[in-house]
Amino acid sequence: MRYTAELPTVFDDYRLAGPGESLWDKTGIGENLDPTTETAHATYVRSDGKKSFIITVDLDPVADVSDPGEGDDIVSTILGTSVDSDEAKSYDPGPIEGKLLCVQYAVAGTTSSRCLWGNGTALVTAQPVVTSGPRPTPEQTATEVRSFLGELHVHPVT
C-alpha cells in the first residue's frame, strides 16, 4: 500500500518557513513540501526567531524503525550520527503510533539533539536549530516532535 502525507503549516509555536527563511535552501538541498515526490524537507520557525526545526518526511520508507528490534546501524545512518542503544532514548510519540527515538550528540563542542519517528508507513527526522539560548535536551526535542506528529496527517492513497 502507498501513502501520502500532509505536512502541518503550524505546530505549537512554529510555522512553516516563508521566503528567505528556509534552512534547507541554505544547505543547497532546498525545501520540498510534497513527500509524495521525494523526501520532504521543511523548515519550521518559532515566532521569537531563536529556534527553528529542520524536518524530513519519507513515505513508504525502506527502514522501519517502529520495530523495537531494529539495529543501531540503521538508526545511526538515518540520524547522521553514531548512535548505540544506550544513547538513543525512546519517547511516547503521542496519538500517532510508531516509535520515537531521540539522541543528544556533540559537534565541535556544541551539543544538539535529533529525533527520529517511524511507524512503517512514514519516517520523520527532526533537528532543532538554536540561534541563541540553551540547547534543547532530547526530552524537550521529543515533546516538540510529538506536537509536530500530532499535526502530521499520513494516510493511504486510495
Side-chain angles (χ1 to χ4, degrees):
M1 181 175 291
R2 303 240 348 126
Y3 291 86
T4 187
E6 298 166 31
L7 276 66
T9 56
V10 297
F11 71 96
D12 277 352
D13 192 24
Y14 293 89
R15 64 170 173 74
L16 269 173
E21 296 178 309
S22 168
L23 297 176
W24 289 109
D25 287 348
K26 293 174 183 168
T27 66
I29 294 172
E31 292 278 307
N32 171 35
L33 302 179
D34 182 3
T36 61
T37 60
E38 61 184 6
T39 300
H41 296 97
T43 301
Y44 289 87
V45 294
R46 198 163 70 180
S47 60
D48 66 7
K50 294 181 181 179
K51 188 175 177 186
S52 301
F53 261 96
I54 54 174
I55 293 179
T56 65
V57 178
D58 279 300
L59 297 174
D60 308 307
V62 177
D64 179 6
V65 298
S66 67
D67 179 358
E70 206 50 55
D72 294 340
D73 290 342
I74 292 173
V75 173
S76 296
T77 299
I78 294 169
L79 288 175
T81 188
S82 179
V83 176
D84 66 40
S85 298
D86 296 336
E87 295 172 321
K89 304 267 188 274
S90 186
Y91 295 90
D92 176 12
I96 192 168
E97 294 181 15
K99 187 169 187 175
L100 176 60
L101 299 171
C102 298
V103 65
Q104 187 168 18
Y105 67 98
V107 175
T110 301
T111 62
S112 191
S113 57
R114 283 188 189 153
C115 290
L116 166 69
W117 168 84
N119 70 352
T121 62
L123 186 65
V124 172
T125 63
Q127 179 176 336
V129 178
V130 179
T131 57
S132 66
R135 303 290 177 199
T137 65
E139 184 174 2
Q140 292 165 329
T141 302
T143 297
E144 291 179 310
V145 171
R146 188 172 28 254
S147 294
F148 171 82
L149 294 173
E151 299 297 324
L152 177 67
H153 300 286
V154 178
H155 45 87
V157 175
T158 54

mmCIF file of all heavy atoms in Angstrom, residues 44-94:
data_model
loop_
_atom_site.group_PDB
_atom_site.id
_atom_site.type_symbol
_atom_site.label_atom_id
_atom_site.label_comp_id
_atom_site.label_asym_id
_atom_site.label_seq_id
_atom_site.Cartn_x
_atom_site.Cartn_y
_atom_site.Cartn_z
ATOM 1 N N TYR A 44 10.654 24.792 9.943
ATOM 2 C CA TYR A 44 9.640 25.425 10.775
ATOM 3 C C TYR A 44 10.355 26.418 11.683
ATOM 4 O O TYR A 44 11.383 26.078 12.284
ATOM 5 C CB TYR A 44 8.888 24.385 11.616
ATOM 6 C CG TYR A 44 7.977 23.528 10.780
ATOM 7 C CD1 TYR A 44 8.450 22.381 10.157
ATOM 8 C CD2 TYR A 44 6.639 23.871 10.596
ATOM 9 C CE1 TYR A 44 7.614 21.593 9.375
ATOM 10 C CE2 TYR A 44 5.802 23.080 9.820
ATOM 11 C CZ TYR A 44 6.298 21.952 9.209
ATOM 12 O OH TYR A 44 5.470 21.166 8.441
ATOM 13 N N VAL A 45 9.846 27.631 11.763
ATOM 14 C CA VAL A 45 10.470 28.668 12.570
ATOM 15 C C VAL A 45 9.548 29.057 13.727
ATOM 16 O O VAL A 45 8.331 29.071 13.586
ATOM 17 C CB VAL A 45 10.834 29.914 11.730
ATOM 18 C CG1 VAL A 45 11.919 29.583 10.720
ATOM 19 C CG2 VAL A 45 9.627 30.476 11.010
ATOM 20 N N ARG A 46 10.168 29.361 14.852
ATOM 21 C CA ARG A 46 9.417 29.802 16.023
ATOM 22 C C ARG A 46 9.257 31.315 15.942
ATOM 23 O O ARG A 46 10.115 32.015 15.398
ATOM 24 C CB ARG A 46 10.142 29.395 17.302
ATOM 25 C CG ARG A 46 9.243 29.412 18.513
ATOM 26 C CD ARG A 46 9.816 28.645 19.655
ATOM 27 N NE ARG A 46 10.966 29.325 20.216
ATOM 28 C CZ ARG A 46 11.664 28.873 21.240
ATOM 29 N NH1 ARG A 46 11.352 27.727 21.793
ATOM 30 N NH2 ARG A 46 12.691 29.536 21.696
ATOM 31 N N SER A 47 8.181 31.824 16.495
ATOM 32 C CA SER A 47 7.861 33.243 16.365
ATOM 33 C C SER A 47 8.921 34.158 16.976
ATOM 34 O O SER A 47 9.106 35.270 16.512
ATOM 35 C CB SER A 47 6.486 33.550 16.955
ATOM 36 O OG SER A 47 6.465 33.205 18.322
ATOM 37 N N ASP A 48 9.662 33.687 17.989
ATOM 38 C CA ASP A 48 10.684 34.541 18.591
ATOM 39 C C ASP A 48 11.978 34.582 17.777
ATOM 40 O O ASP A 48 12.892 35.334 18.088
ATOM 41 C CB ASP A 48 10.968 34.133 20.033
ATOM 42 C CG ASP A 48 11.604 32.751 20.167
ATOM 43 O OD1 ASP A 48 11.971 32.123 19.145
ATOM 44 O OD2 ASP A 48 11.730 32.289 21.317
ATOM 45 N N GLY A 49 12.078 33.751 16.729
ATOM 46 C CA GLY A 49 13.244 33.744 15.862
ATOM 47 C C GLY A 49 14.483 33.106 16.455
ATOM 48 O O GLY A 49 15.536 33.085 15.813
ATOM 49 N N LYS A 50 14.395 32.553 17.661
ATOM 50 C CA LYS A 50 15.567 31.974 18.314
ATOM 51 C C LYS A 50 15.742 30.485 18.048
ATOM 52 O O LYS A 50 16.769 29.912 18.368
ATOM 53 C CB LYS A 50 15.493 32.200 19.826
ATOM 54 C CG LYS A 50 15.582 33.656 20.218
ATOM 55 C CD LYS A 50 15.521 33.813 21.719
ATOM 56 C CE LYS A 50 15.592 35.288 22.094
ATOM 57 N NZ LYS A 50 15.504 35.462 23.540
ATOM 58 N N LYS A 51 14.713 29.863 17.479
ATOM 59 C CA LYS A 51 14.787 28.422 17.278
ATOM 60 C C LYS A 51 13.997 28.037 16.042
ATOM 61 O O LYS A 51 12.950 28.607 15.758
ATOM 62 C CB LYS A 51 14.228 27.712 18.505
ATOM 63 C CG LYS A 51 14.419 26.219 18.519
ATOM 64 C CD LYS A 51 13.935 25.680 19.858
ATOM 65 C CE LYS A 51 14.013 24.192 19.947
ATOM 66 N NZ LYS A 51 13.414 23.697 21.192
ATOM 67 N N SER A 52 14.533 27.071 15.312
ATOM 68 C CA SER A 52 13.866 26.510 14.138
ATOM 69 C C SER A 52 13.962 24.994 14.232
ATOM 70 O O SER A 52 14.704 24.461 15.042
ATOM 71 C CB SER A 52 14.556 26.967 12.849
ATOM 72 O OG SER A 52 14.566 28.357 12.743
ATOM 73 N N PHE A 53 13.220 24.335 13.373
ATOM 74 C CA PHE A 53 13.338 22.890 13.207
ATOM 75 C C PHE A 53 13.563 22.601 11.738
ATOM 76 O O PHE A 53 12.893 23.183 10.883
ATOM 77 C CB PHE A 53 12.050 22.169 13.640
ATOM 78 C CG PHE A 53 12.102 21.598 15.012
ATOM 79 C CD1 PHE A 53 11.594 22.310 16.078
ATOM 80 C CD2 PHE A 53 12.663 20.355 15.257
ATOM 81 C CE1 PHE A 53 11.628 21.801 17.360
ATOM 82 C CE2 PHE A 53 12.710 19.834 16.536
ATOM 83 C CZ PHE A 53 12.193 20.555 17.590
ATOM 84 N N ILE A 54 14.508 21.723 11.440
ATOM 85 C CA ILE A 54 14.610 21.173 10.094
ATOM 86 C C ILE A 54 14.065 19.756 10.182
ATOM 87 O O ILE A 54 14.459 18.976 11.047
ATOM 88 C CB ILE A 54 16.038 21.240 9.515
ATOM 89 C CG1 ILE A 54 17.067 20.592 10.428
ATOM 90 C CG2 ILE A 54 16.431 22.680 9.216
ATOM 91 C CD1 ILE A 54 18.456 20.514 9.829
ATOM 92 N N ILE A 55 13.119 19.472 9.321
ATOM 93 C CA ILE A 55 12.378 18.212 9.394
ATOM 94 C C ILE A 55 12.353 17.557 8.019
ATOM 95 O O ILE A 55 12.198 18.243 7.005
ATOM 96 C CB ILE A 55 10.940 18.472 9.899
ATOM 97 C CG1 ILE A 55 11.004 18.947 11.361
ATOM 98 C CG2 ILE A 55 10.059 17.245 9.754
ATOM 99 C CD1 ILE A 55 9.664 19.267 11.990
ATOM 100 N N THR A 56 12.519 16.236 8.007
ATOM 101 C CA THR A 56 12.341 15.471 6.780
ATOM 102 C C THR A 56 11.203 14.484 6.994
ATOM 103 O O THR A 56 10.975 14.012 8.108
ATOM 104 C CB THR A 56 13.607 14.678 6.374
ATOM 105 O OG1 THR A 56 13.872 13.675 7.352
ATOM 106 C CG2 THR A 56 14.806 15.589 6.201
ATOM 107 N N VAL A 57 10.495 14.191 5.909
ATOM 108 C CA VAL A 57 9.424 13.196 5.940
ATOM 109 C C VAL A 57 9.604 12.296 4.724
ATOM 110 O O VAL A 57 9.633 12.774 3.589
ATOM 111 C CB VAL A 57 8.021 13.843 5.912
ATOM 112 C CG1 VAL A 57 6.939 12.771 5.884
ATOM 113 C CG2 VAL A 57 7.834 14.790 7.087
ATOM 114 N N ASP A 58 9.747 10.998 4.980
ATOM 115 C CA ASP A 58 9.821 9.988 3.918
ATOM 116 C C ASP A 58 8.603 9.096 4.025
ATOM 117 O O ASP A 58 8.291 8.594 5.115
ATOM 118 C CB ASP A 58 11.061 9.106 4.083
ATOM 119 C CG ASP A 58 12.317 9.745 3.559
ATOM 120 O OD1 ASP A 58 12.354 10.049 2.358
ATOM 121 O OD2 ASP A 58 13.250 9.932 4.359
ATOM 122 N N LEU A 59 7.936 8.879 2.917
ATOM 123 C CA LEU A 59 6.802 7.961 2.881
ATOM 124 C C LEU A 59 7.266 6.605 2.387
ATOM 125 O O LEU A 59 8.217 6.509 1.604
ATOM 126 C CB LEU A 59 5.714 8.508 1.960
ATOM 127 C CG LEU A 59 5.100 9.826 2.410
ATOM 128 C CD1 LEU A 59 4.134 10.338 1.355
ATOM 129 C CD2 LEU A 59 4.392 9.669 3.745
ATOM 130 N N ASP A 60 6.584 5.556 2.827
ATOM 131 C CA ASP A 60 6.929 4.192 2.430
ATOM 132 C C ASP A 60 8.430 3.942 2.587
ATOM 133 O O ASP A 60 9.109 3.559 1.640
ATOM 134 C CB ASP A 60 6.487 3.929 0.977
ATOM 135 C CG ASP A 60 5.041 4.285 0.737
ATOM 136 O OD1 ASP A 60 4.183 3.802 1.483
ATOM 137 O OD2 ASP A 60 4.772 5.077 -0.192
ATOM 138 N N PRO A 61 8.974 4.188 3.787
ATOM 139 C CA PRO A 61 10.423 4.100 3.978
ATOM 140 C C PRO A 61 10.951 2.682 3.838
ATOM 141 O O PRO A 61 10.238 1.713 4.094
ATOM 142 C CB PRO A 61 10.619 4.614 5.403
ATOM 143 C CG PRO A 61 9.331 4.297 6.081
ATOM 144 C CD PRO A 61 8.268 4.458 5.026
ATOM 145 N N VAL A 62 12.205 2.595 3.444
ATOM 146 C CA VAL A 62 12.865 1.303 3.320
ATOM 147 C C VAL A 62 13.128 0.718 4.707
ATOM 148 O O VAL A 62 12.972 -0.463 4.937
ATOM 149 C CB VAL A 62 14.186 1.453 2.535
ATOM 150 C CG1 VAL A 62 14.923 0.132 2.472
ATOM 151 C CG2 VAL A 62 13.915 1.988 1.153
ATOM 152 N N ALA A 63 13.517 1.581 5.665
ATOM 153 C CA ALA A 63 13.794 1.131 7.025
ATOM 154 C C ALA A 63 12.580 1.392 7.906
ATOM 155 O O ALA A 63 11.978 2.448 7.836
ATOM 156 C CB ALA A 63 15.003 1.879 7.586
ATOM 157 N N ASP A 64 12.236 0.397 8.717
ATOM 158 C CA ASP A 64 11.111 0.528 9.625
ATOM 159 C C ASP A 64 11.643 0.556 11.054
ATOM 160 O O ASP A 64 11.926 -0.476 11.634
ATOM 161 C CB ASP A 64 10.138 -0.635 9.434
ATOM 162 C CG ASP A 64 8.941 -0.561 10.369
ATOM 163 O OD1 ASP A 64 8.800 0.436 11.097
ATOM 164 O OD2 ASP A 64 8.156 -1.513 10.380
ATOM 165 N N VAL A 65 11.788 1.765 11.616
ATOM 166 C CA VAL A 65 12.311 1.877 12.973
ATOM 167 C C VAL A 65 11.255 1.623 14.022
ATOM 168 O O VAL A 65 11.541 1.642 15.208
ATOM 169 C CB VAL A 65 12.970 3.255 13.225
ATOM 170 C CG1 VAL A 65 14.149 3.458 12.306
ATOM 171 C CG2 VAL A 65 11.964 4.366 13.119
ATOM 172 N N SER A 66 10.012 1.395 13.610
ATOM 173 C CA SER A 66 8.964 1.117 14.592
ATOM 174 C C SER A 66 9.153 -0.254 15.229
ATOM 175 O O SER A 66 8.606 -0.539 16.277
ATOM 176 C CB SER A 66 7.574 1.218 13.958
ATOM 177 O OG SER A 66 7.375 0.188 13.012
ATOM 178 N N ASP A 67 9.960 -1.111 14.584
ATOM 179 C CA ASP A 67 10.257 -2.430 15.135
ATOM 180 C C ASP A 67 11.316 -2.277 16.222
ATOM 181 O O ASP A 67 12.428 -1.833 15.946
ATOM 182 C CB ASP A 67 10.769 -3.344 14.019
ATOM 183 C CG ASP A 67 11.135 -4.733 14.503
ATOM 184 O OD1 ASP A 67 11.021 -4.996 15.726
ATOM 185 O OD2 ASP A 67 11.548 -5.551 13.674
ATOM 186 N N PRO A 68 10.990 -2.628 17.477
ATOM 187 C CA PRO A 68 11.953 -2.462 18.561
ATOM 188 C C PRO A 68 13.252 -3.220 18.337
ATOM 189 O O PRO A 68 14.256 -2.903 18.929
ATOM 190 C CB PRO A 68 11.217 -3.004 19.789
ATOM 191 C CG PRO A 68 9.782 -3.002 19.431
ATOM 192 C CD PRO A 68 9.713 -3.146 17.936
ATOM 193 N N GLY A 69 13.277 -4.215 17.468
ATOM 194 C CA GLY A 69 14.489 -4.979 17.224
ATOM 195 C C GLY A 69 15.387 -4.362 16.167
ATOM 196 O O GLY A 69 16.412 -4.926 15.816
ATOM 197 N N GLU A 70 15.025 -3.216 15.638
ATOM 198 C CA GLU A 70 15.794 -2.578 14.568
ATOM 199 C C GLU A 70 17.219 -2.292 15.052
ATOM 200 O O GLU A 70 17.450 -1.911 16.190
ATOM 201 C CB GLU A 70 15.082 -1.279 14.185
ATOM 202 C CG GLU A 70 15.305 -0.776 12.783
ATOM 203 C CD GLU A 70 15.099 -1.787 11.677
ATOM 204 O OE1 GLU A 70 14.045 -2.411 11.574
ATOM 205 O OE2 GLU A 70 16.040 -1.933 10.883
ATOM 206 N N GLY A 71 18.196 -2.458 14.193
ATOM 207 C CA GLY A 71 19.597 -2.319 14.568
ATOM 208 C C GLY A 71 20.059 -0.883 14.732
ATOM 209 O O GLY A 71 19.499 0.047 14.170
ATOM 210 N N ASP A 72 21.112 -0.713 15.541
ATOM 211 C CA ASP A 72 21.687 0.609 15.771
ATOM 212 C C ASP A 72 22.217 1.228 14.486
ATOM 213 O O ASP A 72 22.201 2.442 14.331
ATOM 214 C CB ASP A 72 22.833 0.525 16.781
ATOM 215 C CG ASP A 72 22.366 0.115 18.168
ATOM 216 O OD1 ASP A 72 21.164 0.264 18.456
ATOM 217 O OD2 ASP A 72 23.204 -0.348 18.956
ATOM 218 N N ASP A 73 22.724 0.407 13.552
ATOM 219 C CA ASP A 73 23.302 0.940 12.317
ATOM 220 C C ASP A 73 22.272 1.707 11.506
ATOM 221 O O ASP A 73 22.579 2.761 10.939
ATOM 222 C CB ASP A 73 23.892 -0.186 11.455
ATOM 223 C CG ASP A 73 25.138 -0.790 12.080
ATOM 224 O OD1 ASP A 73 25.733 -0.130 12.964
ATOM 225 O OD2 ASP A 73 25.514 -1.901 11.686
ATOM 226 N N ILE A 74 21.054 1.225 11.440
ATOM 227 C CA ILE A 74 20.005 1.913 10.675
ATOM 228 C C ILE A 74 19.675 3.247 11.318
ATOM 229 O O ILE A 74 19.594 4.271 10.655
ATOM 230 C CB ILE A 74 18.751 1.026 10.536
ATOM 231 C CG1 ILE A 74 19.065 -0.172 9.643
ATOM 232 C CG2 ILE A 74 17.580 1.821 9.991
ATOM 233 C CD1 ILE A 74 17.959 -1.191 9.561
ATOM 234 N N VAL A 75 19.503 3.250 12.639
ATOM 235 C CA VAL A 75 19.203 4.490 13.354
ATOM 236 C C VAL A 75 20.349 5.477 13.177
ATOM 237 O O VAL A 75 20.134 6.659 12.911
ATOM 238 C CB VAL A 75 18.914 4.206 14.844
ATOM 239 C CG1 VAL A 75 18.766 5.498 15.631
ATOM 240 C CG2 VAL A 75 17.665 3.348 14.981
ATOM 241 N N SER A 76 21.587 5.007 13.290
ATOM 242 C CA SER A 76 22.753 5.880 13.108
ATOM 243 C C SER A 76 22.785 6.481 11.716
ATOM 244 O O SER A 76 23.041 7.676 11.546
ATOM 245 C CB SER A 76 24.050 5.097 13.344
ATOM 246 O OG SER A 76 24.132 4.663 14.677
ATOM 247 N N THR A 77 22.510 5.671 10.705
ATOM 248 C CA THR A 77 22.521 6.154 9.330
ATOM 249 C C THR A 77 21.451 7.212 9.105
ATOM 250 O O THR A 77 21.716 8.269 8.523
ATOM 251 C CB THR A 77 22.309 4.983 8.345
ATOM 252 O OG1 THR A 77 23.380 4.052 8.517
ATOM 253 C CG2 THR A 77 22.277 5.470 6.910
ATOM 254 N N ILE A 78 20.252 6.964 9.586
ATOM 255 C CA ILE A 78 19.156 7.913 9.377
ATOM 256 C C ILE A 78 19.403 9.212 10.126
ATOM 257 O O ILE A 78 19.183 10.299 9.594
ATOM 258 C CB ILE A 78 17.810 7.287 9.796
ATOM 259 C CG1 ILE A 78 17.476 6.128 8.858
ATOM 260 C CG2 ILE A 78 16.696 8.328 9.778
ATOM 261 C CD1 ILE A 78 16.324 5.259 9.315
ATOM 262 N N LEU A 79 19.898 9.128 11.361
ATOM 263 C CA LEU A 79 20.131 10.333 12.142
ATOM 264 C C LEU A 79 21.421 11.051 11.750
ATOM 265 O O LEU A 79 21.632 12.192 12.119
ATOM 266 C CB LEU A 79 20.154 10.010 13.641
ATOM 267 C CG LEU A 79 18.797 9.672 14.247
ATOM 268 C CD1 LEU A 79 18.955 9.257 15.702
ATOM 269 C CD2 LEU A 79 17.838 10.838 14.129
ATOM 270 N N GLY A 80 22.292 10.375 11.011
ATOM 271 C CA GLY A 80 23.523 11.019 10.559
ATOM 272 C C GLY A 80 24.563 11.179 11.651
ATOM 273 O O GLY A 80 25.454 12.012 11.541
ATOM 274 N N THR A 81 24.450 10.415 12.712
ATOM 275 C CA THR A 81 25.434 10.437 13.786
ATOM 276 C C THR A 81 25.486 9.046 14.403
ATOM 277 O O THR A 81 24.498 8.322 14.384
ATOM 278 C CB THR A 81 25.091 11.514 14.850
ATOM 279 O OG1 THR A 81 26.162 11.618 15.777
ATOM 280 C CG2 THR A 81 23.807 11.209 15.576
ATOM 281 N N SER A 82 26.641 8.663 14.918
ATOM 282 C CA SER A 82 26.784 7.335 15.507
ATOM 283 C C SER A 82 25.933 7.224 16.765
ATOM 284 O O SER A 82 26.026 8.047 17.669
ATOM 285 C CB SER A 82 28.251 7.075 15.848
ATOM 286 O OG SER A 82 28.384 5.804 16.439
ATOM 287 N N VAL A 83 25.082 6.220 16.803
ATOM 288 C CA VAL A 83 24.162 6.020 17.914
ATOM 289 C C VAL A 83 24.233 4.558 18.336
ATOM 290 O O VAL A 83 24.225 3.670 17.497
ATOM 291 C CB VAL A 83 22.706 6.352 17.486
ATOM 292 C CG1 VAL A 83 21.738 6.042 18.614
ATOM 293 C CG2 VAL A 83 22.585 7.788 17.041
ATOM 294 N N ASP A 84 24.333 4.336 19.651
ATOM 295 C CA ASP A 84 24.156 2.960 20.110
ATOM 296 C C ASP A 84 22.957 2.912 21.046
ATOM 297 O O ASP A 84 22.406 3.939 21.420
ATOM 298 C CB ASP A 84 25.429 2.397 20.754
ATOM 299 C CG ASP A 84 25.821 3.087 22.040
ATOM 300 O OD1 ASP A 84 24.934 3.416 22.851
ATOM 301 O OD2 ASP A 84 27.030 3.289 22.251
ATOM 302 N N SER A 85 22.561 1.730 21.387
ATOM 303 C CA SER A 85 21.329 1.536 22.143
ATOM 304 C C SER A 85 21.297 2.306 23.456
ATOM 305 O O SER A 85 20.235 2.690 23.933
ATOM 306 C CB SER A 85 21.109 0.048 22.429
ATOM 307 O OG SER A 85 20.976 -0.646 21.223
ATOM 308 N N ASP A 86 22.464 2.525 24.052
ATOM 309 C CA ASP A 86 22.498 3.253 25.316
ATOM 310 C C ASP A 86 22.245 4.747 25.128
ATOM 311 O O ASP A 86 21.832 5.429 26.053
ATOM 312 C CB ASP A 86 23.854 3.062 26.006
ATOM 313 C CG ASP A 86 24.097 1.607 26.394
ATOM 314 O OD1 ASP A 86 23.103 0.870 26.565
ATOM 315 O OD2 ASP A 86 25.269 1.222 26.503
ATOM 316 N N GLU A 87 22.532 5.281 23.945
ATOM 317 C CA GLU A 87 22.393 6.711 23.710
ATOM 318 C C GLU A 87 21.002 7.100 23.238
ATOM 319 O O GLU A 87 20.487 8.139 23.617
ATOM 320 C CB GLU A 87 23.415 7.175 22.666
ATOM 321 C CG GLU A 87 24.853 7.031 23.129
ATOM 322 C CD GLU A 87 25.837 7.304 22.013
ATOM 323 O OE1 GLU A 87 25.574 6.902 20.860
ATOM 324 O OE2 GLU A 87 26.864 7.912 22.293
ATOM 325 N N ALA A 88 20.408 6.290 22.383
ATOM 326 C CA ALA A 88 19.081 6.612 21.848
ATOM 327 C C ALA A 88 18.033 6.267 22.893
ATOM 328 O O ALA A 88 18.008 5.168 23.422
ATOM 329 C CB ALA A 88 18.821 5.838 20.567
ATOM 330 N N LYS A 89 17.203 7.241 23.203
ATOM 331 C CA LYS A 89 16.128 7.035 24.168
ATOM 332 C C LYS A 89 14.799 7.013 23.430
ATOM 333 O O LYS A 89 14.594 7.749 22.468
ATOM 334 C CB LYS A 89 16.105 8.165 25.203
ATOM 335 C CG LYS A 89 17.407 8.351 25.943
ATOM 336 C CD LYS A 89 17.421 7.565 27.224
ATOM 337 C CE LYS A 89 18.613 7.872 28.083
ATOM 338 N NZ LYS A 89 19.798 7.158 27.824
ATOM 339 N N SER A 90 13.921 6.160 23.878
ATOM 340 C CA SER A 90 12.602 6.037 23.281
ATOM 341 C C SER A 90 11.624 6.926 24.044
ATOM 342 O O SER A 90 11.666 6.986 25.273
ATOM 343 C CB SER A 90 12.159 4.575 23.346
ATOM 344 O OG SER A 90 10.962 4.399 22.656
ATOM 345 N N TYR A 91 10.752 7.626 23.292
ATOM 346 C CA TYR A 91 9.763 8.523 23.878
ATOM 347 C C TYR A 91 8.384 8.184 23.328
ATOM 348 O O TYR A 91 8.260 7.639 22.232
ATOM 349 C CB TYR A 91 10.102 9.990 23.563
ATOM 350 C CG TYR A 91 11.392 10.438 24.193
ATOM 351 C CD1 TYR A 91 12.599 10.300 23.519
ATOM 352 C CD2 TYR A 91 11.410 10.978 25.475
ATOM 353 C CE1 TYR A 91 13.793 10.691 24.106
ATOM 354 C CE2 TYR A 91 12.598 11.381 26.071
ATOM 355 C CZ TYR A 91 13.782 11.228 25.377
ATOM 356 O OH TYR A 91 14.967 11.614 25.963
ATOM 357 N N ASP A 92 7.359 8.561 24.076
ATOM 358 C CA ASP A 92 5.979 8.366 23.652
ATOM 359 C C ASP A 92 5.700 9.257 22.441
ATOM 360 O O ASP A 92 5.856 10.477 22.540
ATOM 361 C CB ASP A 92 5.043 8.717 24.806
ATOM 362 C CG ASP A 92 3.574 8.639 24.440
ATOM 363 O OD1 ASP A 92 3.232 8.101 23.364
ATOM 364 O OD2 ASP A 92 2.757 9.123 25.241
ATOM 365 N N PRO A 93 5.291 8.698 21.297
ATOM 366 C CA PRO A 93 5.017 9.518 20.122
ATOM 367 C C PRO A 93 3.665 10.218 20.152
ATOM 368 O O PRO A 93 3.331 10.975 19.245
ATOM 369 C CB PRO A 93 5.085 8.518 18.972
ATOM 370 C CG PRO A 93 4.669 7.230 19.586
ATOM 371 C CD PRO A 93 5.171 7.275 21.004
ATOM 372 N N GLY A 94 2.870 9.973 21.182
ATOM 373 C CA GLY A 94 1.558 10.598 21.246
ATOM 374 C C GLY A 94 0.535 9.751 20.514
ATOM 375 O O GLY A 94 0.706 8.545 20.355
#
